[in-house]
């Protein structure tokens, strides 16, 4: 039973780590400060700062949606794992082999 709990915990931590990285990457790509993003999203600056730092007590989907809207992306983009270089290369090789 403990392995199920550990799997749920690691999945939750992984998803939130993906959120944190995507949030920072998209914010920096748009040259926004954490303060700018918080204002656009209508959330407290310190809370936005904590989310990006990986401290997300009580984080709700509604907050993720506000952050996504402030960045001009759908909420799923904040939760989508980034493609790795090896995954991109593998996909390109698969497409060449099919041609």
């Amino acid at each position: 039973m403990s392995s199920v709990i550990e799997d749920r915990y690691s999945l939750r931590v992984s998803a939130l780590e993906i959120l944190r990285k995507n949030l920072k990457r998209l914010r920096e790509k748009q040259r926004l400060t954490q303060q700018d993003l918080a204002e656009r999203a209508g959330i407290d600056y310190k809370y936005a700062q904590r989310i990006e730092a990986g401290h997300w007590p009580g984080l709700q989907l509604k907050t993720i949606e506000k952050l996504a809207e402030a960045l001009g992306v759908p909420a799923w983009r904040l939760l989508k794992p980034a493609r790795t270089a090896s995954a991109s290369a593998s996909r390109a090789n698969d497409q060449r082999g099919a041609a």
Side-chain angles (χ1 to χ4, degrees), residues 23-33 52:
L23 186 63
K24 182 175 182 177
R25 180 180 51 78
L26 290 166
R27 178 184 61 77
E28 288 177 344
K29 185 176 181 180
Q30 294 183 29
R31 297 183 180 185
L32 296 172
T33 65
E52 195 173 294

Side-chain angles (χ1 to χ4, degrees), residues 46-70:
K46 290 289 185 184
Y47 188 50
Q49 194 176 41
R50 286 193 308 268
I51 293 169
E52 195 173 294
H55 306 288
W56 32 69
L59 181 62
Q60 297 181 359
L61 182 56
K62 187 175 189 174
T63 304
I64 296 170
E65 290 171 338
K66 286 179 178 182
L67 291 165
E69 186 176 327

Side-chain angles (χ1 to χ4, degrees), residues 3 8 11 17 26 31 33-34 41-43 63 70 85 87 91 97-99:
S3 68
R8 287 182 186 165
L11 177 62
E17 183 64 17
L26 290 166
R31 297 183 180 185
T33 65
Q34 289 175 334
I43 64 174
T63 304
R91 193 171 294 117

Side-chain angles (χ1 to χ4, degrees), residues 2 22 30 42 45 49 52 57 59 62 72 75-76 84 89-90 93 98:
S2 67
N22 286 338
Q30 294 183 29
Y45 160 67
Q49 194 176 41
E52 195 173 294
L59 181 62
K62 187 175 189 174
W76 63 263
T84 62
S90 176
N93 287 335

